[in-house]
Amino acid sequence: MGTRLGRWHISLALVFVILGFLLATAFNTQRLIGERSRPRKQNLIDFIKTRRNERTNLGKELVERRTELEHQGSRITGSQDVVTAYGEKLEGLRKRSGLTSVKGPGLEVVLRDAPRVPTGADPGNFLIHDYDLQIIVNALWRGGAEAIAINGERLAAGTGIRSAGSAILINSKPQGEPYRIKAIGGTKALAAMLKIDNDARLLVSGYSQKYGLVVKVMTKKVLKLPPYYGSTKLTSLKEE
Amino acid sequence: MIPILGLVTGIALGLILNIPVPALMARYLGIALLAALDSSFGGLRANLEESFNERLFIGGFLFNTIIAGLIVYLGDNLGIELYLAAVVAFGVRLFQNLAIIRRHFFKVHHWE
């Protein structure tokens, strides 16, 4: 019956070859799955960390370059009287645009989530949301703020304040509580506007008490705001 | 000697070719492996008992593997862990065959 090689049948050897092959493949597969699933999260974390560092470094470099450019510009404006007027205008625009670090008196508003959420209550009511920050920022602009930064992120022309999951993105960088809003401007006017502006008043003295949100408003003699680290590249915009 | 040679050849082949199996197919691979294990030990036993039938052996191997694969597929689609049935069936037979092979060796070497 069948082909034999000594005591053993060839077909038996064939099945053993298949068995060995499957064993090795299963071993490889299992090792691959294990390798993949375990450090994947770590890889992702490392990736995010390196990219974050990269971005911070690039942002710093950008500011350095801008300062350099400014120096070059001021050298030119200094040597040529004709362009002095333009130079001053440029200087003013630069300060307003948020591309330079600035200091001055102003207001600091600190917002925190409620420390406790009662059982059964909607937890959303006890958190600081992107629109809460928007309300405060809008009221501060309305009150004549000249520069605003949230958690060290300077608000510039392209700044957005939006939520992504549980984090709030400011200049596309995730921020967590406490949210420190620093605004340079007339301290009295700013503080007054937080009471005049309906939404801001509701948040500062209404909801905060009702839900236990922590909202602190402090007057500061000197506030230092960092420059905007983001890109100012314009691709679609053309001057009319 | 020849079965061991075949086993080593197979392992070497598998390690060298290193064919990646997607995670979804890992179950089917496991079942195929069990069917191969079952057939191998069944064949070994039959060979030792001098009752080896090549057609029966190859046919059984292919048939069992295919049916086991179908059962796993059916179970996956019905949401029932039917593959456990194949695992248990093959597992029980594996141990039975191993026991008989062990006895056979005892008899041959007069260890009883």
Side-chain angles (χ1 to χ4, degrees):
Chain A
M1 253 185 283
T3 328
R4 281 174 147 229
L5 202 75
R7 209 149 63 91
W8 304 100
H9 285 266
I10 293 293
S11 55
L12 187 64
L14 197 72
V15 170
F16 265 88
V17 172
I18 295 171
L19 172 67
F21 178 73
L22 288 175
L23 270 175
T25 309
F27 178 72
N28 278 337
T29 306
Q30 210 55 38
R31 221 178 30 180
L32 205 70
I33 290 169
E35 255 173 38
R36 252 190 221 149
S37 57
R38 200 160 27 79
R40 201 171 180 185
K41 198 172 154 191
Q42 196 54 47
N43 284 345
L44 212 56
I45 291 169
D46 290 345
F47 181 75
I48 291 170
K49 271 185 189 158
T50 48
R51 283 299 157 99
R52 200 175 273 167
N53 283 341
E54 236 167 73
R55 189 172 61 179
T56 312
N57 290 336
L58 284 173
K60 276 180 191 156
E61 202 188 312
L62 193 66
V63 171
E64 268 169 34
R65 289 289 157 92
R66 273 182 196 147
T67 328
E68 205 179 297
L69 202 67
E70 212 173 307
H71 283 315
Q72 300 289 351
S74 61
R75 243 179 47 195
I76 295 168
T77 50
S79 64
Q80 290 171 294
D81 290 342
V82 193
V83 282
T84 308
Y86 283 108
E88 271 163 18
K89 196 179 164 192
L90 190 65
E91 204 62 25
L93 282 173
R94 259 198 202 114
K95 270 183 204 144
R96 276 209 86 85
S97 64
L99 299 182
T100 54
S101 46
V102 288
K103 63 177 180 182
L107 223 59
E108 184 175 343
V109 184
V110 183
L111 296 114
R112 274 175 184 277
D113 298 339
R116 264 186 306 276
V117 180
T119 42
D122 175 12
N125 286 334
F126 297 83
L127 298 174
I128 296 293
H129 292 280
D130 48 351
Y131 43 79
D132 296 324
L133 299 185
Q134 286 162 9
I135 285 168
I136 298 292
V137 166
N138 285 341
L140 290 170
W141 286 133
R142 210 181 144 193
E146 287 162 19
I148 300 180
I150 305 175
N151 286 8
E153 281 300 325
R154 182 76 172 271
L155 304 193
T159 298
I161 303 173
R162 61 193 175 88
S163 62
S166 58
I168 297 179
L169 300 186
I170 295 157
N171 286 339
S172 302
K173 287 186 206 167
Q175 305 291 341
E177 63 143 9
Y179 303 98
R180 292 177 193 282
I181 305 176
K182 293 180 182 175
I184 293 179
T187 48
K188 275 180 194 151
L190 290 175
M193 192 49 75
L194 288 182
K195 292 192 177 91
I196 295 166
D197 188 277
N198 273 331
D199 292 327
R201 193 186 58 235
L202 261 175
L203 180 63
V204 173
S205 46
Y207 294 132
S208 61
Q209 256 103 49
K210 190 173 171 192
Y211 296 113
L213 302 170
V214 183
V215 181
K216 261 194 265 175
V217 181
M218 292 168 284
T219 309
K220 298 269 175 172
K221 275 197 188 118
V222 182
L223 280 172
K224 281 185 186 168
L225 303 194
Y228 172 69
Y229 290 110
S231 166
T232 51
K233 200 178 169 190
L234 303 172
T235 49
S236 312
L237 208 64
K238 283 196 178 67
E239 212 164 328
E240 207 180 33
Chain B
M1 215 28 231
I2 290 203
I4 294 170
L5 215 66
L7 188 66
V8 171
T9 314
I11 289 175
L13 215 64
L15 287 177
I16 290 163
L17 291 179
N18 199 359
I19 298 167
V21 177
L24 273 174
M25 299 301 285
R27 261 182 171 188
Y28 292 90
L29 181 69
I31 283 298
L33 182 59
L34 261 177
L37 262 174
D38 171 62
S39 292
S40 309
F41 284 98
L44 211 61
R45 169 198 159 187
N47 210 325
L48 289 169
E49 285 177 343
E50 304 283 331
S51 65
F52 191 85
N53 183 327
E54 199 150 57
R55 271 189 209 155
L56 207 65
F57 173 66
I58 293 287
F61 172 59
L62 292 177
F63 188 75
N64 280 347
T65 311
I66 291 165
I67 290 295
L70 283 176
I71 283 176
V72 176
Y73 179 74
L74 192 71
D76 276 352
N77 280 291
L78 294 176
I80 306 166
E81 305 268 338
L82 268 182
Y83 88 106
L84 283 176
V87 170
V88 171
F90 283 136
V92 168
R93 273 172 53 146
L94 192 69
F95 278 104
Q96 274 174 352
N97 284 331
L98 270 176
I100 292 165
I101 290 168
R102 188 162 41 87
R103 271 189 212 131
H104 189 85
F105 264 101
F106 274 41
K107 206 183 266 174
V108 168
H109 293 280
H110 303 289
W111 287 341
E112 279 174 311

